[in-house]
Amino acid sequence: MRSEKVTFENKNNEKIAAIIDWPVHQHPKATALFAHCFTCSKNLTAVKNISKGLTSAGFAVLRFDFTGLGESEGEFESTNFETNIDDLEVAAHFLATEIEAPKLLIGHSLGGTAMLHASKKIVSAKGVVTIGSPYQPNHATHLFEDSIAEIKNKGRAKVSIGGRPFTVNNDLLKSLNENDSEHIISGLGKALLILHSPQDKIVEIDNAEKIYIAAKHPKSFISLDGADHLLSDKNDSTYIGEIIGNWVNRYLVFNEEKIFDTNHQAAAQTNAESLTTEVIADGHPLIVDEPKSLGGNDIGPNPYGLLSAALASCTSLTLQLYARRKKWELNVATVHVNHSKISSSDSNSKIDHFERNIELIGNLDDDQKNRLLEIANKCPVHKTLHSFSKVDSNLIE
């Protein structure tokens, strides 16, 4: 995904640092707003992985640092649950101005609880996703429960959250205690997806149960079995991004003409962080990667795997279309392709070798099978591989 650093101002005219993650084709089908966990930042690896899953599904995602956190201006000590909600509203307005008002709202931990509250004012949103989120905002107070008495008596206290020092004042404590989620969730009026790990030791699984019971349909729950609260295992956050990207399609209506750049059949994008490559082919998202032995993450086929798949799929399609035209009883055409490099008979160089094995299931005689084997060599991709091809490369400014 291509990531663009941006800033916007909160209600106190302080700069909020944000990143917009773009889909590879640069024509998002919708925008999503992401809220990170309590005292975290937009750069948390799990947040980036989830965002990448959404950009692969065609979304542009805005992730930002709440006031006083990460690269954003302001003091954390002066913030509270209401200012977090204010930041979300301002972020949604920024998205509406720069690209399109967000249709999807996502929050991790307390960010998810804040997103539930903010969703009442973000009317463009059609779906809300919570990830390991507490049912009530005051659940977060257990992170500094040993200092609550001091906060009440002195107005503030220095606490350690996640191994980092923060100053928490009485205003934040009151804000977390006085905001109630039950009526917010019951009157949500949007599709809700709840993702939570039964093994979450920071926000217990019963929080997800309470959110689910309070919410009205449409609502869904997916267990993140084995995941920890911060989603430190990359597989968990990658899975979440894929799940959200698929789930939300049921609740959003997209303008397909707006989504895809019809001037290009395919587009691919690889960033500096990994070899995992996002691909759009004829408007359909794919992931291409390299095996771990070559420095990749092995979460998709490599380019030659795709090329082999192109030959296999083109062959099976061609066979089925020919059999239909001839009214032959070909029930299933399965094509297996393996690619390798072999020595050329007339030089010291290597040539590409595609081994294609074809399985034909149906009521076919030997003549029909032999004719279909001949037709396999006439599939368009086969012809392309055997013909001279021209590739023009141009730089886009």
Side-chain angles (χ1 to χ4, degrees):
M1 63 188 179
R2 180 173 70 87
S3 299
E4 176 187 1
K5 289 187 175 182
V6 295
T7 61
F8 54 90
E9 292 185 347
N10 64 13
K11 291 187 176 181
N12 293 325
N13 299 320
E14 296 164 321
K15 285 188 178 180
I16 299 297
I19 291 176
I20 299 176
D21 294 321
W22 292 90
V24 62
H25 46 63
Q26 308 296 308
H27 296 269
K29 63 183 181 183
T31 61
L33 178 60
F34 198 113
H36 61 69
C37 57
F38 188 51
T39 72
C40 296
S41 83
K42 65 184 183 305
N43 294 320
L44 188 71
T45 299
V47 174
K48 291 190 284 186
N49 289 339
I50 294 169
S51 184
K52 191 168 188 176
L54 289 165
T55 59
S56 295
F59 283 83
V61 182
L62 177 68
R63 47 188 170 101
F64 70 97
D65 293 328
F66 283 107
T67 298
L69 292 172
E71 299 172 299
S72 289
E73 294 181 349
E75 297 295 330
F76 177 80
E77 183 181 353
S78 65
T79 66
N80 55 47
F81 192 68
E82 283 90 356
T83 64
N84 286 346
I85 295 172
D86 290 341
D87 284 351
L88 290 170
E89 288 183 63
V90 173
H93 178 74
F94 174 79
L95 263 179
T97 302
E98 296 297 315
I99 311 175
E100 182 182 71
K103 287 189 170 64
L104 179 61
L105 307 177
I106 308 163
H108 178 209
S109 193
L110 189 63
T113 312
M115 196 65 89
L116 288 169
H117 285 249
S119 68
K120 298 297 292 183
K121 297 182 180 180
I122 305 176
V123 296
S124 60
K126 305 300 180 185
V128 182
V129 180
T130 64
I131 307 166
S133 296
Y135 173 55
Q136 295 289 2
N138 65 6
H139 182 280
T141 62
H142 84 279
L143 295 172
F144 49 86
E145 59 185 354
D146 292 341
S147 301
I148 289 178
E150 182 182 353
I151 295 169
K152 289 180 177 179
N153 291 332
K154 297 181 179 180
R156 62 175 51 81
K158 289 186 177 180
V159 304
S160 176
I161 301 174
R164 293 178 296 149
F166 293 93
T167 299
V168 173
N169 63 25
N170 198 44
D171 188 37
L172 173 59
L173 184 61
K174 288 177 60 179
S175 175
L176 292 171
N177 284 323
E178 292 176 358
N179 276 278
D180 179 70
S181 295
E182 184 175 0
H183 71 285
I184 295 291
I185 298 171
S186 63
L188 192 63
K190 307 177 193 299
L192 176 63
L193 173 62
I194 305 160
L195 299 115
H196 212 113
S197 169
Q199 292 80 26
D200 194 327
K201 296 180 179 179
I202 305 299
V203 180
E204 303 80 3
I205 187 65
D206 66 316
N207 285 271
E209 180 183 12
K210 291 174 182 176
I211 293 173
Y212 187 87
I213 292 173
K216 294 181 172 60
H217 285 289
K219 57 183 177 180
S220 306
F221 170 76
I222 293 179
S223 174
L224 303 176
D225 191 42
D228 59 36
H229 183 68
L230 290 179
L231 309 171
S232 55
D233 187 330
K234 184 177 182 179
N235 291 327
D236 293 324
S237 51
T238 299
Y239 170 72
I240 290 170
E242 294 171 351
I243 286 292
I244 297 173
N246 286 313
W247 169 83
V248 74
N249 284 328
R250 189 174 185 88
Y251 302 104
L252 300 187
V253 177
F254 307 112
N255 181 352
E256 296 294 330
E257 293 181 359
K258 185 186 103 174
I259 298 172
F260 302 115
D261 184 351
T262 55
N263 293 324
H264 300 92
Q265 284 184 299
Q269 187 175 85
T270 311
N271 63 30
E273 294 181 353
S274 72
L275 296 178
T276 302
T277 301
E278 294 176 87
V279 177
I280 292 291
D282 289 333
H284 299 282
L286 303 168
I287 292 292
V288 175
D289 209 339
E290 291 287 354
K292 292 182 179 180
S293 60
L294 296 179
N297 293 309
D298 199 23
I299 59 174
N302 67 21
Y304 274 108
L306 274 187
L307 185 57
S308 297
L311 177 60
S313 58
C314 183
T315 303
S316 61
L317 282 167
T318 300
L319 294 176
Q320 194 60 255
L321 288 170
Y322 184 84
R324 289 180 185 181
R325 183 162 60 86
K326 289 290 189 178
K327 294 183 169 44
W328 293 352
E329 196 175 323
L330 174 60
N331 297 328
V332 181
T334 303
V335 181
H336 307 270
V337 173
N338 290 311
H339 169 264
S340 61
K341 295 278 190 178
I342 62 173
S343 299
S344 173
S345 59
D346 56 358
S347 70
N348 293 325
S349 62
K350 298 280 189 177
I351 63 172
D352 292 289
H353 176 235
F354 293 90
E355 181 184 5
R356 180 171 52 187
N357 297 295
I358 302 170
E359 181 182 6
L360 304 174
I361 299 176
N363 187 17
L364 301 168
D365 59 33
D366 288 342
D367 288 340
Q368 290 172 325
K369 290 179 180 179
N370 288 330
R371 178 56 180 161
L372 287 171
L373 183 59
E374 294 175 3
I375 293 300
N377 293 329
K378 299 182 184 297
C379 93
V381 172
H382 181 105
K383 289 182 178 180
T384 297
L385 291 172
H386 277 270
S387 65
F388 175 78
S389 297
K390 181 182 178 183
V391 178
D392 292 324
S393 300
N394 305 290
L395 288 175
I396 301 175
E397 298 294 334

